[in-house]
Amino acid sequence: MSNVSSIMNAKSTSEDINTGLDEGFRKDISKTLSEILSESYRLMVKSHIYHWNVVGPLFKPLHELTEEHYKDLFEAIDVIAERVRALGNVAPYNINNASTFAPEGKDVENLTAIDMVQDLIAEHEAIARKMRDAAEKAGDNKDVVTEDLMTARLTFHEKAIWMLRATASE
């Protein structure tokens, strides 16, 4: 999705970090966090676009729910980037592919509220799977801060999935 590999090849901001985490692990988990950040950014943009464009009987609940989601995601993106920095790596800065984050206008015009919900659920589920793997990797390497961060973010995404499903149920 983004040029994460070239970003992660940048020299670490501090190779002398001695917090008990191996430098190779810090670089690897930072790459994973950068991918999660990118996917979170994409979901934030989609949630915002759907917030503006949802119509029909589900307008009010989805309009309000997507607003809650994009605001939460915006804050989370900052926290994830700051974790990458704390691990001694450069936070992602290349958004060349940002134009691919948003669905095409003609696609949005043809989406029903249910289509939007299904798309958002799929995005939340994909990020949740990646976060679960990152949390496990972090835990295996005694990186409790990243593990806790992923746990907190998983809590948000699983609740978002539940609420989206409940909103769109018949």
Side-chain angles (χ1 to χ4, degrees):
M1 184 177 290
S2 67
N3 196 357
V4 173
S5 60
S6 67
I7 293 168
M8 295 313 300
N9 288 331
K11 185 174 180 174
S12 182
T13 57
S14 176
E15 294 176 353
D16 296 329
I17 293 174
N18 186 11
T19 61
L21 298 176
D22 174 74
E23 183 180 349
F25 166 75
R26 287 187 290 111
K27 187 171 216 115
D28 182 52
I29 199 70
S30 292
K31 180 178 185 271
T32 300
L33 289 173
S34 295
E35 292 167 358
I36 289 169
L37 188 148
S38 179
E39 291 178 23
S40 297
Y41 201 91
R42 175 182 166 85
L43 180 54
M44 180 196 68
V45 170
K46 266 191 177 183
S47 296
H48 210 162
I49 289 170
Y50 290 166
H51 165 81
W52 292 327
N53 291 294
V54 66
V55 295
L58 292 178
F59 168 78
K60 186 164 176 46
L62 281 179
H63 184 76
E64 292 172 354
L65 188 58
T66 53
E67 182 174 4
E68 288 174 29
H69 290 177
Y70 73 71
K71 286 180 176 180
D72 184 283
L73 287 160
F74 183 79
E75 290 179 23
I77 289 163
D78 189 55
V79 172
I80 295 167
E82 289 174 355
R83 182 64 187 147
V84 171
R85 294 292 295 149
L87 289 165
N89 292 286
V90 177
Y93 57 86
N94 184 346
I95 58 169
N96 286 341
N97 297 327
S99 64
T100 66
F101 286 3
E104 293 289 325
K106 64 183 183 309
D107 295 337
V108 172
E109 290 175 22
N110 296 318
L111 291 176
T112 66
I114 298 298
D115 294 334
M116 291 177 183
V117 167
Q118 290 171 341
D119 185 37
L120 291 173
I121 289 170
E123 294 269 353
H124 280 283
E125 288 177 339
I127 291 172
R129 289 188 300 272
K130 187 165 276 206
M131 287 179 168
R132 194 171 309 286
D133 291 343
E136 182 178 1
K137 186 187 320 182
D140 290 346
N141 286 276
K142 299 180 181 168
D143 180 1
V144 295
V145 176
T146 300
E147 185 178 29
D148 285 351
L149 172 59
M150 292 296 97
T151 300
R153 295 309 309 152
L154 275 165
T155 301
F156 163 77
H157 288 285
E158 289 182 352
K159 184 175 180 180
I161 293 164
W162 161 53
M163 294 214 165
L164 286 163
R165 286 188 194 284
T167 300
S169 70
E170 294 181 24

